[in-house]
Amino acid sequence: MEDVIKLPAAPGDGTQTKKRSRPKVDPEEEEKLRQQNLKKLAVLGEEDGTVKRLESLVFGTEDQLLERLVELTGDLLLEEDRDEEEEEEEAHQELQPRQDAWVDEDDELEEEVDMTHRYRRNLMKGEAETTMSKQKLHQRMREQFQKSMGGTPSWAESTDDDDEDDDEDDLLRRTGNFVASSESLPGGILRVKKCLPANSARPSEDRLTTVQFHSSAQVILTAGLDQSLSLFQVDGKTNPKIQSIHLERFPIHKAQFSLDGEMVIATSLKNKMFYLYDMMDGRVVPVHSIRGLNEARVKEFCVCPDGGELLLTGTNGYLHLLTLKTNEVIRSLKINGDVSGVAFSHDGRKLFVNSEEGEVCVWDVRNSQCINRFSDDGCVRGTSIATSRNGRYLACGSQSGVVNIYSQEACLNSANPKPLKAVMNLLTSATSLTFNPSSEILAIASRVEDEAMRLVHLSSLTVFSNFPVAKRKVVYRTSCLDFSPHSGFFSLANNKGHAPLFRSDNQSDF
């Protein structure tokens, strides 16, 4: 059979074909080629056997190799299982609480605390509790704090760890100034709660003229025209009475603690004498005469910051410095007009005196010199004056009810200082001004009208809008105002013989 191959036709030509014949094979050559292939296959077979023998020497037979592979696979699986078990055990150990590296045997001993100390007596529940372990004392203090706060505050409640982790993550994701300044007491609304009156255990039978918190003890003093002064323990719940002293034919105009808190000084309306009540000894000492004092009566006074002297307000613009050691006048100052109020600077070196004519004189106490004087802005008749403990503010009250708040620095250096703020919320004479210890609040009041009392937020120089607000009268006519040492409580003396007591939710301390 012949193969036919078609060639492409040239242009204009027809199809051409070419015949190709199969090549002829020589039988001898074909046989020779077959023999050569057989020899090559034999050689390959020998090589394959040699390879197999080498494999058997190294790896063993096929059965042995399979057994070793199975054993090796099992060992690998067992090793992986052991690694997983070790990782799980390590993770479990990390979750377990770690033991202390150091243990002090003294820490395990329960130290007993003396409960008869005056600062811890209120924590005793019986006379037998003269001593108490530290752990039990901490628990007792925690319970008392929660009671005084009306429950556990939100900041003391436990939170979930997940929430804490979310807060931490959020903190790490954000950037910015995390040390920005802020005021501890916000303005606008004052978080305050009305408590049982401070003198509810013994209300006054006449108008109260004085209310004052003790500087170091949880005690409040009240006094009034019923010729008595009383001491109460302040807890906001029952306010139990500690002591009450009756002074025969001596309606009390003003009473104050001494600077060390161990004595009470009391003056009357028309007497030249005054009383000293020694609380440590329980003695009442009348002071009938004062050497070097030419006054018909001793009525207004304040305790000097050095503690050993009183500043008495006399007539015709006189001020007398009295030492309690010898009960004699050691120095006298005089201003133009009659004195309507006095206030010491926070360091006791300066004395601000407000006159009824509306002029303020600044005295250097050491040199007894007037170093500056200025007129209270817009004042026709001055009625009161007060200074803040941080040395920043001076407040002047007037008969019109306007209270001007100044910078103390401006009052020391300027002959015509301008007030930072004129508070016009009172419509009658501003007779009482008091700064709280932290200098964040100024309390102003008038004894001429009921409910005429306001609290001023000093950072914003605005009046708290929610105090006093009540369905019925609570404040009445206020004669005196005071804050506890850490502004946790606030009280006032009114014409009904009561001392309304309020607790601030912004302060946890007394």
Side-chain angles (χ1 to χ4, degrees):
M1 183 175 177
E2 296 179 350
D3 296 332
V4 178
I5 300 175
K6 293 183 180 181
L7 299 175
D13 296 335
T15 302
Q16 296 181 0
T17 61
K18 182 179 180 180
K19 293 182 180 180
R20 187 180 64 177
S21 61
R22 182 185 298 274
K24 294 180 180 182
V25 179
D26 188 359
E28 294 180 0
E29 292 181 0
E30 185 176 358
E31 180 65 20
K32 188 183 291 186
L33 180 62
R34 188 175 66 83
Q35 292 298 330
Q36 291 177 356
N37 290 336
L38 288 174
K39 291 180 180 180
K40 290 181 178 180
L41 288 174
V43 174
L44 288 174
E46 292 178 359
E47 291 179 355
D48 185 58
T50 305
V51 171
K52 286 183 178 181
R53 285 195 297 273
L54 181 61
E55 288 178 352
S56 64
L57 290 174
V58 176
F59 300 107
T61 63
E62 292 183 1
D63 294 338
Q64 293 175 345
L65 179 60
L66 289 174
E67 290 178 1
R68 292 187 61 183
L69 288 174
V70 171
E71 292 177 359
L72 181 61
T73 304
D75 293 341
L76 290 174
L77 292 175
L78 290 175
E79 186 68 23
E80 291 178 357
D81 292 339
R82 282 196 295 269
D83 292 341
E84 292 179 357
E85 290 177 358
E86 291 178 358
E87 291 177 358
E88 291 179 358
E89 185 176 357
E90 291 178 357
H92 180 70
Q93 291 178 354
E94 289 180 356
L95 294 175
Q96 297 297 324
R98 297 183 178 180
Q99 296 181 353
D100 295 335
W102 174 264
V103 178
D104 193 345
E105 296 179 357
D106 294 337
D107 293 341
E108 300 178 358
L109 300 177
E110 291 190 359
E111 183 179 350
E112 297 292 325
V113 180
D114 182 14
M115 297 301 296
T116 59
H117 192 276
R118 60 178 181 174
Y119 292 158
R120 305 189 190 101
R121 290 174 187 169
N122 60 325
L123 296 173
M124 296 172 59
K125 292 186 177 180
E127 296 296 333
E129 286 187 331
T130 56
T131 60
M132 186 180 296
S133 65
K134 277 191 173 182
Q135 183 178 3
K136 188 175 180 181
L137 176 60
H138 291 167
Q139 180 65 25
R140 186 72 56 81
M141 294 174 67
R142 186 181 297 109
E143 292 174 356
Q144 187 186 54
F145 171 74
Q146 292 177 356
K147 288 181 181 180
S148 64
M149 294 299 294
T152 305
S154 59
W155 53 263
E157 294 177 352
S158 60
T159 58
D160 295 334
D161 294 338
D162 294 340
D163 296 338
E164 293 179 358
D165 294 339
D166 293 341
D167 293 340
E168 292 178 1
D169 293 340
D170 181 64
L171 178 65
L172 295 174
R173 282 194 295 265
R174 292 185 292 113
T175 60
N177 182 14
F178 291 97
V179 198
S181 60
S182 63
E183 295 296 335
S184 58
L185 180 66
I189 303 296
L190 182 65
R191 296 174 55 191
V192 66
K193 178 181 178 182
K194 184 177 180 294
C195 304
L196 195 69
N199 66 338
S200 60
R202 189 198 178 280
S204 177
E205 298 177 356
D206 206 330
R207 177 169 64 93
L208 273 184
T209 56
T210 293
V211 62
Q212 186 186 15
F213 289 92
H214 196 276
S215 59
S216 58
Q218 205 161 327
V219 174
I220 193 171
L221 163 70
T222 64
L225 299 183
D226 66 344
Q227 307 175 32
S228 64
L229 60 87
S230 302
L231 299 173
F232 303 90
Q233 181 182 348
V234 181
D235 60 9
K237 301 293 184 180
T238 59
N239 305 322
K241 185 183 74 171
I242 300 174
Q243 184 70 37
S244 185
I245 304 296
H246 181 76
L247 303 176
E248 190 68 29
R249 293 183 297 178
F250 197 83
I252 300 175
H253 172 72
K254 186 173 184 177
Q256 270 195 313
F257 287 112
S258 60
L259 194 66
D260 58 11
E262 298 181 357
M263 187 179 298
V264 176
I265 304 102
T267 61
S268 187
L269 295 172
K270 299 180 180 180
N271 293 339
K272 187 176 182 178
M273 66 170 291
F274 63 94
Y275 280 96
L276 301 176
Y277 170 46
D278 191 330
M279 294 186 294
M280 299 295 102
D281 296 337
R283 295 185 299 110
V284 178
V285 180
V287 180
H288 294 281
S289 62
I290 301 172
R291 186 186 306 174
L293 181 64
N294 297 319
E295 297 287 348
R297 59 184 180 180
V298 175
K299 182 180 176 181
E300 294 287 347
F301 74 96
C302 68
V303 178
C304 298
D306 62 4
E309 299 172 345
L310 298 180
L311 186 65
L312 307 178
T313 300
T315 57
N316 301 320
Y318 277 100
L319 294 167
H320 307 285
L321 203 59
L322 166 70
T323 175
L324 291 174
K325 292 182 180 179
T326 58
N327 293 329
E328 63 178 346
V329 174
I330 57 177
R331 197 184 315 165
S332 294
L333 309 175
K334 189 180 186 307
I335 65 168
N336 297 326
D338 292 326
V339 178
S340 62
V342 296
F344 283 94
S345 61
H346 66 287
D347 56 7
R349 297 180 180 180
K350 304 295 186 296
L351 176 66
F352 297 87
V353 183
N354 196 6
S355 70
E356 292 185 356
E357 286 71 22
E359 185 179 58
V360 179
C361 293
V362 185
W363 290 80
D364 187 313
V365 176
R366 293 181 178 179
N367 300 327
S368 299
Q369 293 181 351
C370 180
I371 59 177
N372 193 28
R373 67 177 71 231
F374 63 92
S375 296
D376 184 16
D377 189 67
C379 176
V380 177
R381 185 180 179 87
T383 55
S384 54
I385 193 170
T387 55
S388 63
R389 295 190 185 181
N390 65 356
R392 293 182 58 185
Y393 303 106
L394 172 73
C396 298
S398 63
Q399 190 178 34
S400 63
V402 177
V403 178
N404 287 327
I405 302 175
Y406 296 91
S407 164
Q408 272 196 39
E409 183 179 0
C411 295
L412 291 172
N413 302 316
S414 175
N416 188 27
K418 296 299 179 183
L420 302 173
K421 177 71 175 181
V423 182
M424 302 183 181
N425 294 76
L426 300 181
L427 302 179
T428 53
S429 179
T431 53
S432 297
L433 305 176
T434 303
F435 287 91
N436 77 324
S438 61
S439 303
E440 295 174 305
I441 299 175
L442 169 64
I444 62 176
S446 173
R447 60 169 173 261
V448 181
E449 186 179 1
D450 289 346
E451 307 301 298
M453 200 273 289
R454 297 291 183 272
L455 298 176
V456 182
H457 183 245
L458 291 172
S459 295
S460 61
L461 295 175
T462 57
V463 175
F464 288 103
S465 59
N466 65 322
F467 191 86
V469 175
K471 295 181 180 179
R472 58 187 181 87
K473 292 182 179 180
V474 177
V475 175
Y476 291 96
R477 301 188 179 187
T478 303
S479 300
C480 184
L481 306 156
D482 197 28
F483 293 87
S484 60
H486 295 284
S487 304
F489 287 89
F490 166 73
S491 186
L492 56 93
N494 66 20
N495 61 324
K496 299 295 182 180
H498 296 283
L501 182 67
F502 304 90
R503 188 184 71 205
S504 172
D505 290 342
N506 297 94
Q507 297 289 341
S508 59
D509 298 332
F510 176 74

